[in-house]
């Protein structure tokens, strides 16, 4: 389990090797045991492979090419005024991510092209989309995080990788065209799933020292 935690990362390059349906079912069946307050299990998951995923990528790609405006966000992805140290961590991530691709801070067009890969699922042959009922509160949104983390760790145990993507929330209407969710559901994120393309360049982002995020109060 420790190795699954250490090796899990947001992979942004996948091969076209198919992910067996039984593997996805095994992972999601086990992930259903993730904790949730009063056992509400507030997640609603749609899994796309094959033709439906190809169609979604095609429609999203057309929107990217047409520079179609993003769909209105249904939740705030980040606070509008990030304070320290969160602002610095986000900035460092962006710098590391684009530097690995050889993209400078000033090259806005190249940064946009790299970001557009989100809506091709970075080439992944499988993707899931996580929804939540719009009437749910912050504790239930936290439950989604625990569920999705469990999914990602189980995928690692199966030799697979993933990339959670809040980016899909701004193309939520395109996703809805494919999965037809009930009106009461909000799209939280997508998740690309597959086998890693090891030729894709990346930099493993670091983590804050333990003392920066953890305080031991001992007797």
């Amino acid at each position: 389990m420790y190795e699954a935690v250490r090796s899990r990362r947001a992979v942004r390059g996948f091969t076209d090797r198919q992910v067996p349906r039984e593997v996805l079912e095994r992972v999601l069946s086990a992930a259903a045991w993730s904790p949730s307050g009063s056992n509400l299990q507030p997640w609603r998951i749609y899994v796309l492979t094959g033709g439906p995923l190809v169609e979604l990528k095609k429609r999203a790609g057309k929107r990217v090419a047409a520079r179609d405006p993003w769909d209105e966000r249904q939740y705030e992805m980040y606070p509008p005024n990030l304070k320290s140290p969160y602002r610095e961590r986000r900035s460092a991530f962006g710098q590391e991510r684009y530097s690995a691709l050889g993209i400078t801070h000033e090259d806005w067009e190249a940064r946009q092209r790299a970001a557009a890969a989100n809506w091709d699922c970075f080439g992944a042959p499988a993707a899931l989309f996580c929804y939540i009922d719009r009437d749910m509160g912050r504790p239930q949104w936290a439950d989604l995080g625990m569920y999705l983390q469990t999914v990602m760790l189980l995928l690692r145990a199966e030799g697979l990788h993933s990339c959670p993507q809040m980016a899909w929330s701004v193309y939520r209407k395109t996703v809805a065209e494919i999965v037809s969710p009930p009106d009461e559901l909000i799209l939280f994120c997508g998740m690309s799933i597959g086998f890693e393309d090891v030729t894709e360049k990346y930099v493993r982002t670091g983590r804050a020292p333990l003392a920066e995020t953890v305080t031991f109060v001992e007797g």
Side-chain angles (χ1 to χ4, degrees):
M1 180 57 73
Y2 280 84
E3 179 56 29
V5 172
R6 281 191 289 262
S7 65
R8 187 221 61 82
R9 60 184 180 83
V11 165
R12 293 179 173 85
F14 295 88
T15 70
D16 59 3
R17 179 181 171 188
Q18 297 300 303
V19 180
R21 165 77 177 264
E22 58 268 24
V23 172
L24 294 173
E25 289 185 349
R26 184 161 60 239
V27 165
L28 296 174
S29 293
W33 292 98
S34 300
S36 66
S38 295
N39 197 32
L40 295 188
Q41 304 170 65
W43 46 85
R44 181 72 177 272
I45 307 299
Y46 294 83
V47 181
L48 270 61
T49 58
L53 182 57
V54 170
E55 181 62 23
L56 174 62
K57 292 179 180 182
K58 178 181 177 182
R59 295 188 188 191
K62 285 183 177 179
R63 290 189 63 176
V64 172
R67 298 183 181 271
D68 190 36
W70 285 352
D71 300 330
E72 182 181 359
R73 298 186 191 277
Q74 294 181 296
Y75 65 89
E76 193 171 72
M77 193 175 293
Y78 300 104
N81 297 304
L82 273 177
K83 59 185 179 181
S84 183
Y86 315 111
R87 180 178 62 252
E88 291 82 2
R89 290 174 186 168
R90 185 182 183 189
S91 178
F93 162 75
Q95 183 175 353
E96 291 172 354
R97 162 70 178 147
Y98 292 116
S99 292
L101 298 174
I103 299 173
T104 64
H105 180 75
E106 296 76 20
D107 193 345
W108 180 248
E109 287 295 325
R111 291 164 70 92
Q112 289 293 94
R113 287 194 299 272
N118 272 286
W119 298 294
D120 185 51
C121 295
F122 303 105
L128 68 75
F129 293 89
C130 181
Y131 285 79
I132 186 171
D133 193 299
R134 66 180 68 251
D135 291 336
M136 294 292 102
R138 291 183 181 181
Q140 288 75 55
W141 284 75
D143 290 344
L144 294 189
M146 291 187 282
Y147 171 83
L148 293 169
Q149 173 75 341
T150 302
V151 170
M152 290 184 283
L153 294 179
L154 290 169
L155 289 170
R156 287 301 302 124
E158 296 282 356
L160 294 160
H161 273 285
S162 61
C163 183
Q165 300 163 266
M166 287 191 293
W168 276 107
S169 65
V170 298
Y171 276 4
R172 59 183 174 80
K173 293 181 180 178
T174 303
V175 178
E177 290 173 1
I178 304 299
V179 304
S180 300
D183 290 341
E184 66 268 20
L185 297 185
I186 290 174
L187 176 60
F188 171 45
C189 72
M191 181 187 294
S192 297
I193 299 170
F195 294 92
E196 180 185 9
D197 178 357
V198 296
T199 66
E200 185 73 18
K201 295 180 180 179
Y202 79 96
V203 172
R204 183 70 187 269
T205 54
R207 291 296 185 267
L210 192 67
E212 194 173 310
T213 59
V214 178
T215 299
F216 288 94
V217 183
E218 301 176 304

